[in-house]
Amino acid sequence: MSTASASPASLASGHRQILSILVALVILVACVLSTETTMPTQNMSHKERAELREEARDMFYHAYHAYMENAYPADELMPLSCKGRYRGVTPSRGDMDDILGNFSMTLVDTLDTLVLLGDFTEFEHAVKLVIRDVQFDSDIIVSVFETNIRMVGGLLSAHILAEYLQKHADTMHWYKGELLEMSRELGYRLLPAFNTSTGIPHARVNLRLGMKDPQLKKSRETCTACAGTILLEFAALSRLTGDPIFEVRAHAAMDALWKLRHRGSDLMGTVLNVHSGDWVRRDSGVGAGIDSYYEYLFKSYVLLGDDKYLARFNRHYNAVMKYVSEGPMLLDVLMHRPHAKSKNFMDSLLAFWPGLQVLSGDLKPAVQTHEMLYQVMQMHTFIPEAFTVDFQIHWGQHPLRPEFIESTYFLYRATGDHHYLQVGKRALKTLQQYAKVSCGYAAVNDVRTGKHEDRMDSFVLSETIKYLFLLFSDPQDLIINVDEFVFTTEAHLLPLSIAQLGNSTFSFRQSDEHNVLDFMRTCPSSNKLFPEKVRKPLRNFITGSCPRTTAGKRLSALDFQASNADHLRAVYDMGITMVSVGDRSQGKVRLFHSFYNAKSHEEGEMGLQFMQEMLELTKMQSINQLAQLQAVAYATDEKAQDWIALMAGPSHFSPELIGDQFVQGDLVLAKPRRACEELLENAEEAKGKVLVAERGDCTFVNKARLAQKVGAAALIVCDNVPGSSGETQPMFAMSGDGKDDVLIPVVFMYSVEFGKLSAVMQRRKQPLRVRVMQMVEFKRWQLAKAQRQNQTATVTQKPEKEL
Ligand code: DMJ
């Protein structure tokens, strides 16, 4: 491909592929380096396991009591201020608050964990509180997905367990199905969201007004996971109440989603228009925006016994394994161009995937991806919200999510390998050391600094600690047999016996074009697989512990996959060694080639060619990186003759400044500086200017929306980690939330670079005027200027010479 003639899109995708190959090379070396310190898998004694179980129990009570004593009836505990978070009262965090409905979410979400812990007294007390205090008739817009998984799921599971205790523990005889009635009422309040031409529900609904809330008039977009994570709860709701409407609506939404798959690739995008059914974001992976859609396809089959869902799951699963999965990594591609990677980072939500793979019987890739995630965790203490393919931090937040522990639990259950107990122990101790505060557990704002955030999501109690407790419990320690239940995406328990309640509304085996058997993957059986054998090659690439299975034509740099043990061995045989450079934690490597190390002269020649190709690819990678790098430039003199540019990172959610486009304006610092409120104090001043907001407290895109609302020409988000710099840290692109409503350019600056700008700003008496543009364009501009100056100098010198 000639770079000069390629279109920008194909160029970008080509570069992305190359980039992923290169960074993949780095990642596996990083695995090797970082696992040198990995503890060997030791069997865990029964005593230690029991101690860890009790520690998980203590963790639960520490968080639960902190919430109950300081926050209840609020939805969430704010662990740093040690008080409750109420919608409409606590300062808004923007869209993130759609999760809150002033319905005591944390308590509802936690009810079934109390039963698993065997604390019937507290469960009974908590159920009474919920019945007494929780109501839904509020003029509040909530997320349909979150309300369903946390509230409807929490109420249903608690109802089922309350009846179970009545039967098996001779307690709670006063209970008459009140929680089920509450979940029915809440279900009804969510139903207006399903009135769309496709049947795919809106993302948000007003609990009191349904879709009649004027703020919802423009509601169009939702994510695939949001629309596709309804069926388990709604089917249970219908079957337990005898009211078919919920299940009918949820099946219809699933059917509509299925029709939207790309017929060529069988992949789904992440954001769509609920009315037209058009895709808004065609990125396709297994993490944010789509995760639990796949989970619910598979679990709907398990819970309801409808094999059309298994067939659908298998179709998608095959597509994911074909296009998205790359060795242990899972990288987004475009659903309509699945050979092109669309991102070079992964998000922490995809950590649920190995757990789902275990349930579906594909253990080997589950072990691999889990191992990769474990490497990331060891490198950064917690798994950051997003990390690049070479394990660098893309987004450093960690809200104490459960997914990695959930997968650890399922892998342990499937394999019995004590490695997973050791992993769980490390996760537990990390939470204790870095997230525990006097009032609960606090989310980590940035895994690099360990700084806390005033946030404890309800899933910490309903999932994170629950899965830890389950991991360290033997079946006989538990009051219920968890194997008789399906865990929803929020880890609520729905009994398999729900299938027996049947569904009178329509036939389950409706016409479906797919034969399940056509899509069954052949996969290793969990009985025969020893996970250690799968994990080990990921740690021992360089020592070449894997036998080389294929011989044949030369491996080219373009085909090279660092996740492929044969490729690494081939590279080694060609006389190429990899040596780590700089800080080991960055996992950077340099390649060296020598004929002396090659297995044969012929392979030495191949190695030389491989090195040349690698060099070419590296050059292209830096061109690509340069193309994405943004610049914040300012003039150093009054006449604006000389300019300096400071590097900045782009964003995924704002328009790209292409070619010689730039935005110019005076710099204005946001007040308050993090720009997370409804409005800025200095909104007037910010109009038409380049606004600066500090990173933190709310999402990048929320800051951007606020900047746009006050009429700023552009936004610079500056880092909140002192001393961070683009010189020492990889530049990244800020992620958004899938909506395309930000129309002003938004760039990110690390602290050192912004510090320079801020120093100039303070020195100047006049406001500092800056230009936001592409770095490559800035360089071109400067070059052209220098050439012009040279020419002028030559022209003015010429006559003198002639004289
Ligand atoms: C939970 O609410 C659920 O697991 C959901 O499916 C994904 N996000 C959170 C936990 O990270």
Side-chain angles (χ1 to χ4, degrees):
M1 179 180 73
S2 133
T3 47
S5 62
S7 71
S10 66
L11 191 64
S13 76
H15 282 151
R16 270 189 221 112
Q17 265 178 315
I18 292 154
L19 182 69
S20 83
I21 293 162
L22 286 171
V23 285
L25 173 71
V26 172
I27 188 175
L28 266 302
V29 178
C31 286
V32 176
L33 298 176
S34 59
T35 45
E36 278 171 10
T37 53
T38 308
M39 59 190 135
T41 302
Q42 286 169 350
N43 269 0
M44 186 178 278
S45 69
H46 190 73
K47 182 169 164 279
E48 186 179 9
R49 193 163 168 224
E51 281 165 7
L52 288 166
R53 185 187 65 227
E54 290 317 303
E55 192 167 351
R57 190 193 301 277
D58 292 346
M59 289 169 78
F60 174 86
Y61 285 115
H62 176 70
Y64 179 74
H65 289 143
Y67 165 74
M68 290 306 282
E69 284 156 26
N70 306 292
Y72 182 79
D75 283 322
E76 283 178 356
L77 168 71
M78 295 165 72
L80 302 183
S81 25
C82 204
K83 60 183 189 191
R85 184 187 297 284
Y86 289 92
R87 185 86 182 265
V89 177
T90 314
S92 164
R93 299 173 297 177
D95 291 353
M96 236 164 97
D97 279 350
D98 288 348
I99 214 164
L100 313 172
N102 287 345
F103 37 34
S104 306
M105 187 173 64
T106 297
L107 184 60
V108 173
D109 216 5
T110 304
L111 292 172
D112 60 8
T113 313
L114 287 165
V115 178
L116 276 179
L117 293 172
D119 192 346
F120 306 151
T121 317
E122 185 57 28
F123 175 68
E124 184 166 5
H125 171 64
V127 170
K128 282 182 180 164
L129 285 180
V130 169
I131 294 171
R132 189 193 71 188
D133 299 340
V134 175
Q135 63 86 33
F136 306 120
D137 187 27
S138 311
D139 184 2
I140 291 179
I141 293 176
V142 294
S143 150
V144 173
F145 159 76
E146 298 287 1
T147 307
N148 176 56
I149 65 169
R150 302 189 198 215
M151 294 296 296
V152 177
L155 291 166
L156 281 173
S157 161
H159 160 74
I160 288 156
L161 294 175
E163 289 197 333
Y164 183 93
L165 293 187
Q166 285 182 328
K167 225 174 169 177
H168 299 281
D170 195 21
T171 180
M172 290 186 72
H173 293 295
W174 56 266
Y175 178 74
K176 300 274 176 298
E178 291 87 339
L179 296 176
L180 180 61
E181 269 319 300
M182 290 176 78
S183 54
R184 187 215 296 256
E185 184 199 331
L186 189 51
Y188 271 113
R189 289 178 188 274
L190 298 182
L191 280 182
F194 289 74
N195 293 332
T196 60
S197 33
T198 57
I200 297 172
H202 285 278
R204 302 182 304 153
V205 70
N206 183 304
L207 282 174
R208 183 180 293 160
L209 309 173
M211 294 307 293
K212 292 203 183 106
D213 185 317
Q215 285 187 63
L216 294 173
K217 238 191 187 146
K218 289 193 181 147
S219 164
R220 294 274 177 281
E221 289 171 12
T222 193
C223 71
T224 311
C226 306
T229 314
I230 307 283
L231 184 53
L232 293 186
E233 291 80 3
F234 270 33
L237 194 51
S238 280
R239 292 174 186 221
L240 292 167
T241 59
D243 193 340
I245 184 72
F246 305 107
E247 187 167 349
V248 168
R249 289 306 181 98
H251 280 297
M254 285 304 240
D255 290 344
L257 283 174
W258 172 242
K259 286 194 189 127
L260 298 184
R261 75 193 181 282
H262 191 273
R263 304 295 164 125
S265 69
D266 278 334
L267 291 171
M268 305 283 280
T270 45
V271 179
L272 58 104
N273 182 313
V274 295
H275 291 307
S276 65
D278 291 337
W279 286 107
V280 177
R281 283 195 86 107
R282 289 159 192 263
D283 303 74
S284 191
V286 298
I290 194 158
D291 46 358
S292 42
Y293 163 67
Y294 291 138
E295 181 182 359
Y296 270 37
L297 276 178
F298 185 75
K299 290 185 177 173
S300 293
Y301 163 68
V302 176
L303 188 72
L304 309 175
D306 183 347
D307 27 276
K308 103 180 159 192
Y309 289 115
L310 178 63
R312 290 178 186 178
F313 172 79
N314 282 329
R315 276 280 280 270
H316 286 314
Y317 186 80
N318 285 348
V320 167
M321 295 312 281
K322 186 168 170 192
Y323 302 116
V324 178
S325 162
E326 253 192 51
M329 292 178 280
L330 293 151
L331 290 166
D332 280 19
V333 295
L334 295 171
M335 61 184 285
H336 56 295
R337 276 199 305 163
H339 294 289
K341 297 287 174 210
S342 68
K343 285 182 190 153
N344 70 342
F345 63 89
M346 291 171 266
D347 58 70
S348 67
L349 285 169
L350 63 75
F352 89 103
W353 184 252
L356 184 60
Q357 288 183 310
V358 168
L359 295 177
S360 71
D362 208 358
L363 208 55
K364 186 176 172 185
V367 171
Q368 289 176 326
T369 297
H370 181 275
E371 183 62 22
M372 181 270 291
L373 292 164
Y374 187 40
Q375 303 291 337
V376 177
M377 182 189 137
Q378 289 176 96
M379 200 160 166
H380 299 296
T381 313
F382 291 102
I383 298 179
E385 277 295 71
F387 51 93
T388 58
V389 283
D390 56 349
F391 289 4
Q392 301 302 315
I393 293 168
H394 183 75
W395 179 12
Q397 204 183 27
H398 177 79
L400 316 184
R401 287 196 190 279
E403 285 78 5
F404 177 68
I405 300 172
E406 173 186 349
S407 285
T408 307
Y409 165 69
F410 284 112
L411 273 161
Y412 177 66
R413 291 291 315 271
T415 64
D417 185 340
H418 281 221
H419 168 74
Y420 298 108
L421 295 178
Q422 301 290 2
V423 172
K425 176 180 169 182
R426 182 143 182 175
L428 180 149
K429 297 289 179 193
T430 303
L431 284 169
Q432 294 288 65
Q433 193 177 345
Y434 299 104
K436 189 175 182 180
V437 292
S438 56
C439 190
Y441 288 84
V444 177
N445 180 268
D446 192 324
V447 299
R448 287 168 287 207
T449 59
K451 199 176 149 230
H452 286 144
E453 224 179 296
D454 204 3
R455 161 177 180 194
M456 185 180 92
D457 289 77
S458 69
F459 54 67
V460 175
L461 280 163
S462 78
E463 292 191 78
T464 309
I465 300 179
K466 182 190 274 167
Y467 279 123
L468 276 175
F469 181 80
L470 287 172
L471 175 67
F472 298 119
S473 300
D474 274 326
Q476 62 270 20
D477 299 326
L478 300 170
I479 145 89
I480 53 171
N481 178 2
V482 286
D483 296 341
E484 289 171 8
F485 293 82
V486 169
F487 285 92
T488 68
T489 192
E490 190 72 5
H492 293 307
L493 295 120
L494 296 178
L496 290 166
S497 57
I498 275 192
Q500 292 167 23
L501 294 177
N503 180 325
S504 53
T505 56
F506 60 93
S507 155
F508 263 137
R509 290 171 198 270
Q510 301 175 95
S511 69
D512 193 86
E513 60 276 35
H514 311 293
N515 178 350
V516 179
L517 292 175
D518 289 349
F519 312 115
M520 292 297 281
R521 278 173 55 83
T522 51
C523 56
S525 145
S526 59
N527 298 333
K528 294 192 193 122
L529 187 91
F530 297 96
E532 176 60 18
K533 279 195 185 155
V534 177
R535 285 196 305 273
K536 216 172 158 200
L538 291 169
R539 301 189 209 140
N540 297 345
F541 270 109
I542 282 187
T543 56
S545 60
C546 301
R548 205 174 159 191
T549 50
T550 50
K553 71 177 186 48
R554 182 181 73 79
L555 175 68
S556 82
L558 202 62
D559 293 336
F560 176 77
Q561 284 177 0
S563 53
N564 184 323
D566 289 339
H567 287 184
L568 283 168
R569 182 74 182 178
V571 162
Y572 184 74
D573 289 348
M574 289 192 281
I576 296 169
T577 31
M578 302 177 193
V579 178
S580 70
V581 286
D583 179 1
R584 277 189 157 211
S585 66
Q586 289 182 354
K588 288 195 179 139
V589 291
R590 190 163 288 161
L591 300 185
F592 290 99
H593 173 258
S594 112
F595 273 99
Y596 181 73
N597 289 337
K599 228 174 149 191
S600 64
H601 183 77
E602 200 195 349
E603 284 180 279
E605 291 280 357
M606 290 178 179
L608 206 61
Q609 283 178 44
F610 184 94
M611 290 295 281
Q612 277 163 356
E613 287 168 359
M614 249 328 163
L615 218 66
E616 280 303 306
L617 294 178
T618 315
K619 259 196 251 158
M620 285 165 83
Q621 181 197 14
S622 37
I623 293 168
N624 181 38
Q625 280 173 348
L626 190 62
Q628 287 179 10
L629 205 63
Q630 306 293 301
V632 177
Y634 63 91
T636 51
D637 60 328
E638 276 186 11
K639 287 189 180 155
Q641 298 284 331
D642 294 322
W643 287 72
I644 284 184
L646 295 159
M647 74 166 104
S651 91
H652 284 301
F653 54 80
S654 60
E656 234 182 301
L657 289 167
I658 300 162
D660 53 5
Q661 292 175 343
F662 64 85
V663 168
Q664 183 161 293
D666 293 345
L667 271 191
V668 170
L669 303 181
K671 288 183 196 157
R673 68 199 161 99
R674 295 216 162 163
C676 291
E677 324 299 343
E678 292 286 320
L679 205 65
L680 287 182
E681 284 164 26
N682 56 340
E684 260 313 301
E685 188 195 1
K687 211 174 271 172
K689 311 275 172 57
V690 176
L691 189 71
V692 180
E694 191 185 71
R695 183 180 193 174
D697 289 347
C698 61
T699 57
F700 292 127
V701 72
N702 274 348
K703 294 176 200 289
R705 288 196 183 110
L706 183 56
Q708 180 165 294
K709 190 164 144 190
V710 301
L715 172 71
I716 299 173
V717 180
C718 60
D719 201 7
N720 55 0
V721 180
S724 66
S725 163
E727 298 291 346
T728 51
Q729 270 149 303
M731 194 45 92
F732 65 92
M734 293 174 283
S735 299
D737 55 8
K739 294 183 196 151
D740 279 336
D741 55 342
V742 175
L743 304 174
I744 57 170
V746 183
V747 297
F748 175 83
M749 288 180 88
Y750 279 116
S751 302
V752 169
E753 285 79 31
F754 180 70
K756 289 182 188 161
L757 203 61
S758 155
V760 180
M761 202 176 162
Q762 275 161 21
R763 277 202 306 273
R764 297 252 170 114
K765 289 189 193 88
Q766 303 295 324
L768 177 61
R769 175 153 289 215
V770 294
R771 269 186 192 192
V772 179
M773 61 199 302
Q774 276 189 321
M775 184 60 97
V776 72
E777 283 306 321
F778 176 81
K779 297 211 160 150
R780 247 179 233 151
W781 178 42
Q782 293 302 300
L783 217 64
K785 216 160 64 176
Q787 272 168 1
R788 269 200 310 274
Q789 275 164 1
N790 277 346
Q791 276 164 6
T792 330
T794 328
V795 171
T796 42
Q797 277 167 15
K798 252 187 180 169
E800 281 171 24
K801 273 192 184 165
E802 278 169 1
L803 274 174

